[in-house]
Structure formats: C-alpha cells, structure tokens
Amino acid sequence: MKIPGKLRIIVLISSIILLQNCTKAAENSNQAPPAPALPVYTVITSSASTYQEFPTALEGKNNVEIRSQVDGYLDKIYVEEGAYVRAGQALFKIDSRAYGEQMNMAQANLQAANANIQKAKVEVDRLQPLVSAKVVSDVQMKTAKANYAAAVAAAAQAKASVGGARINVGFTTITAPVSGYIGRIPYKKGSLISRTDPSPLTLLSDISEIYAYFSLSELDFIAFQKRYPGATLEEKLRNMPMVDLIIADNSTYSEKGKMSIVDGQFDKSTGAISVRAVFPNKSGALRTGNTGRIRMPQLLSNAVVIPQESTFEIQDKTYVYILGKDKKVTSKPITISGKTENYYFISEGLSAGDKIVFTGLGSLKDGASIQPKAISSDSLLRAKPL
C-alpha cells in the first residue's frame, strides 16, 4: 500500500522531533546534580573549663571488722544494724564466767607466790646472823637466797597471769574502736563465737570522710603531671583544683573533694595507677560501697573549639570535613583534648580560621563540592553556650 506524500512528510517530521527530544533527555541525564548547600563553621579559639570523668568506688575513712579476741557464747548484743555508735561504746558481750574463774585462780596463785616470797625472805633473814657467826655454811645461805629469787620470779609470773586473765575478761566486752555506723550482724544471741570465725561480728564504718578511689591511665597520668605546677607530685596535688563527685542519680554531691594520694606504682595488668579523692561527709549521705564518677576540672586557654555535630568517627578516630578554596571538602583527623556538652576542644588537626562543614556530613565524601553557607560562631555560642 502506497503512503501518500503528505503523510510521509508528517511521519518524517515527527521522527525528527522525537529523536531531538530523546537526545536532550540523554544529555540532561548525563549532567551532574547541583552541589548541596551546607552550613560551614569557621573554627575559633576560646578559654573554657572542661571536665574529665572517671568511675569511682567509695569507702569510708575507717572500715573496721569487729571480731572477738576470746571464744565463748554471745551473751548480749547492745546495738542494732545500721546504728551510729561512738568510739568506746559497748557493742557485744561474750559470756565471761569462765574467764572470771580463770582470773580468780590467777589471783589465788599470785597470793600463794607472794606468801612464798615472805617465807623465803624469813629464811634468808634467819640464816644471815648464823652465817656471820660461822654457825652455818655459806652454801645454805646461797641456797636460801636462790629460793627467795625463785619465789620472786614465781610471783612475777603469777602477776602476769593475773594481767592476762584480766585482759581476757575485758575482751568479753567488745567496744567500738572508732565512731561510725554498724553493718550487718550475722550472729544472734547464744551463738558460739570463736577467734577463728571467718565472718566478723559486724563491720564498723567511719564515714565522717569518704575516700573515692579511681584509676588514671598512663597517658592521663602524664597529662596530669604536665598540667599542674609543682616540683613534686605532692605539690601538684596541692595545686590541683577541687573535684566533684557525681553520684548514682547523676546529681552532683554537695561537697567538693581534694586529691590526696596516688598509688606508688602502676598495675601491670591494667596499665593504670590508683588515685584517691577525699570528700567531707558530716551528713552521712555517702556510705561505703557507693559508686559514682569523679569529675576533674581542666582549664583550657585559647583552645580550638568546634561543635560536636561537625565530627564523625571511623575506626576509633575522629574526623571533620575541611572546606578548601575550590569549595571541595577533605576529611581530616583531629585530636580531642577535652569536651563540654556541645563542643570539642581540639589539640591537633585544626587551627583558628579553618572552615569545616557544620552538619550534613553523612552524604559527603573526599573531593565532594558543596555550596557553603556560613554560620555565625557568635550566634551558635549564644544558642549553645560553652
């Protein structure tokens, strides 16, 4: 079938138009998408206080195991669990009857020994004029004096026995060596108590001061020594500011603590050294066994400051995207020396005046182009203070 000439021309023109449209669509599909518009932050320097936190375990100033120094039945318990007691206050009573009889026997032996002294002295006095008159020999006199010396020694031994028996009687009343709070009492009245019992009668905690023990890594310890002035470690501790204690509910304890002691050596298994901070605890709010965090202040002057949301992490390293003059970004590792709730302080990797991408990092890669939109550091600091 023959196609008319006019129709043939119309088909040809339509084909040309369709081909042109397809060519334009292909060209448009090959064009790169426009560069994303992202906020850019200009790095500044500032002075601020930052904090390092370390987990800590709390102990009272004195934690004393109360044990019996004599064997016997527990006759009386004078205190309740959790009660506050003062030094010298009676806590427990061990049945003292057997020890009382031992003291009576020791006193009787002492009386007998004193009588023997008198008897031996009488013999010496009797022989003295006889020896002078040469009625008896010197040997008898020497024997009498030896008997007297033996009687004196026996009396001293008997007196020591009386002292030991009296001490044992005193040990039957167990008193508090320090003021503090009574712990759990596992024994009840009538229990047989021995000096070799594995469990103490109770634990007495003096919590007028609380010791907070925590550990510093080797790097933290070196940084601590460099940070504070002083020729010796003791001087550095004295020059260190007071520290805070964050307790279990994330609130800050009302009293501040003072660093007081550092262990003599690093633990080979952990590579850390033990440190202690001392906190007043007159109210008794803290107890032995509590946990928390030590917050150690650190004053930074002219430190490089960047927002935390401007960073990302790869394999335990922290990076930022730096904007180049060609509006292309490059990732760069940084070293963080401290932080606040919203900002990082940088010791290596950035300088004041560097421009970094503020947000929108997830879609970026090295060499990507962006349309930078500057944000004001002053407005950012007003919205999120240091």
Side-chain angles (χ1 to χ4, degrees):
M1 179 178 174
K2 250 185 175 182
I3 299 175
K6 287 183 179 181
L7 183 59
R8 206 181 307 151
I9 293 172
I10 293 172
V11 170
L12 180 60
I13 293 172
S14 298
S15 299
I16 292 171
I17 293 172
L18 180 62
L19 181 60
Q20 288 176 343
N21 289 336
C22 290
T23 302
K24 289 180 180 179
E27 288 176 354
N28 291 334
S29 64
N30 290 331
Q31 288 180 355
L38 293 176
V40 172
Y41 170 81
T42 301
V43 175
I44 64 171
T45 60
S46 178
S47 298
S49 292
T50 64
Y51 300 92
Q52 283 182 291
E53 292 188 353
F54 304 90
T56 182
L58 306 184
E59 292 185 13
K61 181 179 179 180
N62 282 315
N63 295 301
V64 184
E65 288 186 346
I66 305 300
R67 294 182 178 272
S68 176
Q69 293 180 271
V70 293
D71 301 335
Y73 288 99
L74 185 56
D75 190 30
K76 293 180 181 179
I77 301 175
Y78 297 111
V79 292
E80 297 290 338
E81 294 178 342
Y84 179 80
V85 297
R86 298 192 177 278
Q89 183 176 334
L91 306 179
F92 303 96
K93 176 71 174 178
I94 304 295
D95 188 354
S96 63
R97 288 174 296 177
Y99 297 101
E101 290 304 317
Q102 289 177 8
M103 188 172 71
N104 291 337
M105 183 178 294
Q107 288 175 334
N109 290 335
L110 177 59
Q111 290 176 353
N114 287 333
N116 287 333
I117 290 176
Q118 295 300 320
K119 181 180 178 181
K121 189 175 185 308
V122 167
E123 182 65 13
V124 171
D125 292 343
R126 185 184 70 85
L127 291 175
Q128 188 69 47
L130 296 177
V131 171
S132 299
K134 296 185 179 180
V135 175
V136 296
S137 65
D138 289 341
V139 174
Q140 288 180 290
M141 187 60 181
K142 290 179 180 178
T143 301
K145 288 183 176 180
N147 290 337
Y148 176 78
V152 171
Q157 187 176 16
K159 185 176 181 181
S161 297
V162 171
R166 185 175 289 112
I167 289 173
N168 284 336
V169 171
F171 282 157
T172 60
T173 300
I174 301 170
T175 59
V178 296
S179 299
Y181 288 89
I182 295 293
R184 192 175 71 87
I185 302 175
Y187 299 96
K188 305 304 177 186
K189 183 179 178 180
S191 301
L192 180 61
I193 304 301
S194 172
R195 291 171 293 177
T196 59
D197 286 336
S199 298
L201 291 170
T202 190
L203 182 69
L204 179 59
S205 294
D206 176 5
I207 57 172
S208 58
E209 289 183 336
I210 285 291
Y211 294 159
Y213 290 93
F214 61 101
S215 296
L216 292 178
S217 69
E218 191 170 357
L219 291 177
D220 286 333
F221 184 69
I222 292 172
F224 162 78
Q225 288 182 303
K226 292 180 178 179
R227 190 175 303 142
Y228 302 106
T232 65
L233 187 57
E234 289 75 14
E235 291 180 3
K236 293 178 184 293
L237 289 173
R238 285 196 295 269
N239 291 325
M240 183 179 175
M242 305 288 275
V243 298
D244 290 318
L245 174 63
I246 310 301
I247 54 181
D249 64 354
N250 287 324
S251 64
T252 302
Y253 180 57
S254 58
E255 301 279 359
K256 288 187 176 290
K258 181 67 177 175
M259 299 287 289
S260 67
I261 193 170
V262 176
D263 200 356
Q265 59 185 8
F266 280 87
D267 187 323
K268 292 181 180 179
S269 60
T270 62
I273 193 168
S274 181
V275 185
R276 186 181 77 183
V278 182
F279 291 86
N281 189 37
K282 294 180 180 179
S283 65
L286 302 177
R287 299 294 179 96
T288 296
N290 282 152
T291 58
R293 304 189 308 277
I294 291 294
R295 179 176 288 173
M296 189 181 298
Q298 178 181 358
L299 180 62
L300 299 177
S301 58
N302 296 322
V304 174
V305 182
I306 66 170
Q308 291 190 20
E309 58 261 49
S310 300
T311 65
F312 63 98
E313 292 185 2
I314 299 178
Q315 296 181 348
D316 297 331
K317 290 186 177 181
T318 305
Y319 293 81
V320 295
Y321 277 116
I322 292 185
L323 180 67
K325 294 181 179 180
D326 55 359
K327 297 184 180 181
K328 292 184 178 181
V329 297
T330 305
S331 62
K332 188 173 185 180
I334 57 174
T335 301
I336 299 171
S337 60
K339 67 177 181 179
T340 63
E341 184 177 355
N342 300 305
Y343 297 91
Y344 285 138
F345 296 91
I346 309 305
S347 58
E348 294 180 9
L350 290 174
S351 301
D354 289 342
K355 299 181 184 299
I356 62 173
V357 180
F358 177 50
T359 56
L361 312 182
S363 60
L364 293 179
K365 60 182 181 180
D366 281 346
S369 296
I370 67 168
Q371 296 180 28
K373 290 188 174 181
I375 62 170
S376 169
S377 59
D378 291 338
S379 60
L380 182 61
L381 289 172
R382 282 195 296 270
K384 295 181 178 181
L386 280 174

